[in-house]
Amino acid sequence: MSKNLLEIKRLTVRVGNTILLNEVSFDIAQGEITALVGGSGSGKTTIANVILGLLPSALEIIQGQILLEHKNLLLFTKEQMRLMRGEQIAMIFQEPLWAFDPLMTIGAQMDEVLAVHTSLQSQQRRHRILDTLAKVEITNPKDIFARY
């Protein structure tokens, strides 16, 4: 029997009088790979945004729990959630245009994550970024690092 890493319990979200998510519940066991699938408008992105603490202000959670390693993320402060994003939880966006800021270089965006979540110095972060780009077989990592 696997230990649950993430548990969503009776999550209900609304905008105005319209229910967007109605008592959504599911578990993800530690070591399990899970895909959230559904039609357009079915709530996949809303669920992900609630888990990440990125729910737009117009939406309201009216009930439920989101337990990550038995800690209810809905009770975390914005600062606690910011520190968790990228280190313990993250979302891989399907569309790269949504994933990267076109006004920042690839290197600067990757560096920002490492600066927040590690104690590496600037040159160490640069080395790690270039190494990571090379490991995922990005051709000419130094060039990509400097691109927008």
Side-chain angles (χ1 to χ4, degrees):
M1 182 176 201
S2 295
K3 173 186 164 194
N4 285 332
L5 179 65
L6 180 69
E7 299 174 57
I8 309 295
K9 296 182 176 187
R10 298 179 50 137
L11 181 63
T12 301
V13 175
R14 73 176 173 198
V15 60
N17 293 325
T18 304
I19 300 293
L20 301 177
L21 301 174
N22 190 15
E23 296 193 11
V24 173
S25 296
F26 63 89
D27 299 332
I28 299 174
Q30 191 164 342
E32 192 173 66
I33 297 173
T34 303
L36 189 57
V37 297
S40 180
S42 65
K44 302 178 301 290
T45 301
T46 301
I47 291 169
N49 283 333
V50 173
I51 294 168
L52 291 165
L54 297 174
L55 197 63
S57 60
L59 278 58
E60 177 186 12
I61 300 166
I62 57 175
Q63 78 171 14
Q65 292 182 316
I66 299 174
L67 304 175
L68 180 66
E69 296 180 330
H70 306 289
K71 294 175 276 192
N72 190 351
L73 298 182
L74 298 179
L75 301 177
F76 279 38
T77 66
K78 287 183 182 191
E79 178 63 15
Q80 288 172 314
M81 286 303 298
R82 186 187 69 76
L83 293 172
M84 291 198 58
R85 282 192 296 272
E87 186 171 319
Q88 291 186 279
I89 58 174
M91 182 161 123
I92 300 171
F93 292 92
Q94 181 175 334
E95 176 56 57
L97 292 176
W98 289 87
F100 289 104
D101 182 341
L103 302 177
M104 292 176 68
T105 65
I106 299 295
Q109 291 178 73
M110 294 177 76
D111 184 69
E112 184 176 61
V113 172
L114 291 177
V116 169
H117 296 290
T118 72
S119 60
L120 298 174
Q121 298 301 311
S122 179
Q123 286 303 317
Q124 294 171 310
R125 293 192 310 264
R126 179 181 170 83
H127 178 74
R128 175 162 308 162
I129 293 165
L130 293 173
D131 185 52
T132 300
L133 291 171
K135 282 181 180 176
V136 296
E137 300 181 8
I138 298 291
T139 306
N140 197 354
K142 287 182 183 175
D143 182 48
I144 297 301
F145 182 92
R147 286 193 187 179
Y148 287 85

